[in-house]
Amino acid sequence: MCGIVAAAAGNNIVPVLVEGLKKLEYRGYDSAGLAVINGPGIARVRSVGRVAELEAASASTASTTGIAHTRWATHGVPSERNAHPHVSGSIAVVHNGIIENYESLRAELTAQGYVFTSDTDTETIAHLLEATLKRQPDLFKAVRLTCRQLVGAYAIAVVDHRQPGRVVVAREGSPLLLGVSDGGNYAASDASALLQVTRNMVYLENGDVAELTAAGVRITLLDGTPVERPVHVSELSAAAVELGTYRHYMQKEIFEQPEALANTLEIVGGSKTIQPGMFGAEAGNLLADVGHILILACGTSSHSGYTARYWLEAIAGVPCTVEIASEYRYRTSVANPRQLVVAISQSGETADTLAALRHAKELGQGRTLAICNVPESAIVRECALRFITRAGPEIGVASTKAFTTQLAALFLLTLVVAKVKGRLSADEESRFIDQLRHLPVAVNKVLELEPEIETWAKRFADKQHALFLGRGRHYPIALEGALKLKEISYIHAEAYPAGELKHGPLALVDANMPVISVAPNDQLLDKLKSNLKEVQARGGELYVFADTDSEIPESEGVHILRLPEHYGELSPILHVIPLQLLSYHAALVKGTDVDKPRNLAKSVTVE
C-alpha cells in the first residue's frame, strides 16, 4: 500500500504535495518522492525514509503541476532508485498496487531498447506509456491505451513536461479520488491528503481515467466514453475522531469493520491472483523456503495467531506454532533458521512482542514478518517483511476492528504461502479472492443482528461467570469472546475447546453459568452438538451462534441466533462480530466504562 497525491493549480503546489504525503504516510513509509513540471523538463526529488526528508530536499522546488508518492515496497527493496516517481522520456509516473504482468511487459520493452534502472513493476508503466506516446501523442489518450495493457491492481498519476498544466490519473482496484476546487484540482489515495485544499471529493470507479487541469476535470472510461461522478463533501475529519451517532468508540469501531476490512483487502480488490509482494519486496523468495511458522503475539493478537494456525496448516501445509510473546523469551527453545517469525501487534509497540521478536532474531531466526496497524512502529521497522492492516485509529481499549483486520492479513499470508509452495490451485485462488472481496458485505449482514444480541446480553449481564465453547478454528474465536466479555463487563469468562468439557469444565455448569457456543456448520458440528447436549443435561443455559443452515433447534434453555451465511474458512471473521456485540451490550447493562476498562491500557509498552 502506497500513497499518491497529484495537483494541477494556479499557484505553487509543492507544499500541497508534501503536506498530502504527510497525511498518507501511514500507507507507505520506506521512501517518498515528487515530480513537477519545471520549465522545459521534469524536476524530480526522491528520498529514502520519511516524508520529512523529502520536504527538506524539495524546499527550493516550485511548480503549478506535479505528482507525489510515499512508498511501501512490494517490488524492489527500499532505495532511492526504487522510489517513485519513475521517469521515461518526457513523462513521470507514480503508482499504487501490483502489476501482475509486469515481467512479460518488461521483457518486451527491454527488447525494444528500454533500459530499466529500478526493480519495480511501476517503471514498466513509465516505459510502456512513453512507448505509447510515440504513436499517440495526447497524454490523456495514451494513458487510456496503456492501462488497457495492464493486468492487476493500480492507481496511477502521470505528468508530461511537453504537455504542461495537465495531470492524468487512472484507477483499477486501488483507491483514488479527486479533490475539486476553484483554485485547482487534485487527486489522492485518501481524502485526508486533500482536506488542506478542499472538502469536495469525487470518488473514481474502477476503469476511470481522469484529466486534471487548474480549470477543471474530465473523466472517461478506458474506451474514452465520458462519465460523470458525483461530488461528495468529505466528513472525514469528524468521523475519524468523533463518536458521531455511536454511544462509545467500541461500538463505532465494531461497525467500522466492513470499511476496515475493505481497506485492508484493497490490495486484492482488482487482482485476479495473490501476489507475494503484498508482504514486501523479498517475500516471494523468503516464503518459498519457509519450513515452519512461529507466531508471536499477546492478548487479542494471539487469538488471531491461533486462528491462523488452522489456516496455515490446512491450506498451506506448513506447520505453525503460536507463542504468547511474554513467555517465549523466558524459556529455552530450539532455533530454526528456516522458520518464519510473525510478530502481530495493533500498535507495533507492544513491549512483550517486541522483546520476543528481538529474542527470536538473536537466536538466528532472521526471517521476520510484522502484521501491524501502525506503519512507523518499532515492530514494523525491525522486521524484514511487513503487512500494514488498515483498521484506522482504534480508540477503544478492547480491540475489535484491529482483530478482524489481523485475521484478514493472516488469511492473505496463508494464501501466499500456499501459492509459493504450489499448494493453491487456480480455482481455489479465485474462490478465496472472491470470498475476500465479499467479506465486508457479509460482515455488514452480521452487524444487522445487533438488536437480537442486545436482548441476549440483558438476560445474563447479572451473571458472575460465563463459559465460551468452540471447536477447531473457532476455538480461538471463543477465546476472543471470553476475553472481550471480561475486559469490558468484568464478568469472569473462560473459553474451552468444546471437546474438553467432560475433562473438567463441566463441573462448573449449572443454571447460573451461561454457556456461549460458536457453532458454524462445518465438519465438527455434529461433535459440537453432543457437547451442547452435555451442557443441557446439567441444566446449563445455552446461547448458540449458529449458521443459517446449522440444524440446532431452539428449545427451553437453548437460545439460537443464526448468522446470515456460512463462510467456510473465513467463518471465524464473521463469528467474532456477534461476540464483540454481546460483550459490548453486556457492559452497557452493567454500566461499566466500555472504552476505558479498569486496569487496562490500549498499548502495553511495559513488560
Side-chain angles (χ1 to χ4, degrees), residues 156-484:
I156 63 173
V158 184
V159 291
D160 183 340
H161 74 75
R162 298 174 303 182
Q163 303 179 50
R166 305 173 77 191
V167 177
V168 178
V169 302
R171 182 208 169 178
E172 180 61 50
S174 293
L176 196 65
L177 56 87
L178 309 181
V180 296
S181 75
D182 294 336
N185 292 289
Y186 310 86
S189 303
D190 189 309
S192 62
L194 302 182
L195 292 175
Q196 56 176 314
V197 288
T198 182
R199 301 184 69 85
N200 298 319
M201 308 295 174
V202 175
Y203 294 87
L204 297 179
E205 303 287 343
N206 284 338
D208 284 355
V209 183
E211 179 187 62
L212 316 179
T213 66
V217 170
R218 63 168 168 154
I219 307 171
T220 74
L221 303 179
L222 285 178
D223 62 6
T225 304
V227 293
E228 291 187 9
R229 304 296 182 207
V231 177
H232 300 272
V233 178
S234 175
E235 299 293 336
L236 178 66
S237 59
V241 297
E242 295 180 6
L243 282 172
T245 60
Y246 296 101
R247 294 179 64 179
H248 297 91
Y249 281 105
M250 183 179 178
Q251 184 189 33
K252 178 175 182 281
E253 288 154 10
I254 289 171
F255 278 83
E256 285 176 338
Q257 287 176 109
E259 180 182 5
L261 285 164
N263 290 338
T264 298
L265 295 168
E266 142 196 329
I267 202 160
V268 296
S271 298
K272 299 178 182 178
T273 61
I274 296 292
Q275 297 293 326
M278 68 179 68
F279 290 92
E282 303 300 321
N285 293 332
L286 191 151
L287 295 176
D289 193 42
V290 164
H292 187 272
I293 293 176
L294 169 64
I295 296 176
L296 302 173
C298 299
T300 286
S301 295
S302 72
H303 298 156
S304 69
Y306 286 126
T307 306
R309 179 178 62 183
Y310 288 91
W311 290 334
L312 286 161
E313 295 193 349
I315 298 173
V318 177
C320 177
T321 301
V322 183
E323 295 265 8
I324 300 298
S326 58
E327 293 291 323
Y328 170 70
R329 65 191 174 110
Y330 293 114
R331 70 175 184 83
T332 301
S333 57
V334 179
N336 180 354
R338 290 187 60 214
Q339 181 168 257
L340 175 69
V341 179
V342 182
I344 310 175
S345 168
Q346 189 283 138
S347 68
E349 304 292 344
T350 307
D352 288 318
T353 306
L354 183 58
L357 170 65
R358 289 169 177 167
H359 176 65
K361 292 169 71 174
E362 289 169 0
L363 293 176
Q365 300 171 130
R367 304 178 185 208
T368 54
L369 164 66
I371 294 179
C372 182
N373 194 37
V374 182
E376 68 275 12
S377 62
I379 287 175
V380 171
R381 292 196 304 268
E382 296 196 20
C383 284
L385 305 177
R386 77 287 297 174
F387 188 98
I388 306 303
T389 59
R390 295 181 55 205
E394 190 178 62
I395 297 171
V397 166
S399 180
T400 53
K401 60 180 180 175
F403 177 68
T404 49
T405 54
Q406 286 171 357
L407 289 176
L410 288 161
F411 194 77
L412 288 174
L413 175 64
T414 300
L415 298 185
V416 166
V417 174
K419 186 171 183 177
V420 298
K421 291 187 172 294
R423 290 181 57 93
L424 188 68
S425 71
D427 287 345
E428 289 174 321
E429 183 176 16
S430 178
R431 175 170 59 85
F432 284 134
I433 289 175
D434 286 343
Q435 284 187 323
L436 287 168
R437 287 177 181 148
H438 182 65
L439 191 56
V441 175
V443 170
N444 259 322
K445 292 180 181 178
V446 177
L447 289 169
E448 294 174 1
L449 300 174
E450 184 182 29
E452 297 170 68
I453 296 170
E454 185 176 2
T455 300
W456 278 19
K458 293 175 182 177
R459 291 176 182 169
F460 70 83
D462 62 339
K463 306 297 184 184
Q464 299 299 310
H465 308 278
L467 183 65
F468 286 71
L469 301 177
R471 298 205 68 147
R473 58 182 174 261
H474 293 86
Y475 165 53
I477 300 307
L479 285 169
E480 176 62 12
L483 177 61
K484 284 293 155 287

Side-chain angles (χ1 to χ4, degrees), residues 23 55 138 148 238 241 395 403 488 492 532 559 593:
K23 295 295 190 296
E55 182 176 26
D138 180 78
R148 293 168 74 172
V241 297
I395 297 171
F403 177 68
I488 62 170
H492 172 244
L532 300 184
H559 311 286
D593 190 337

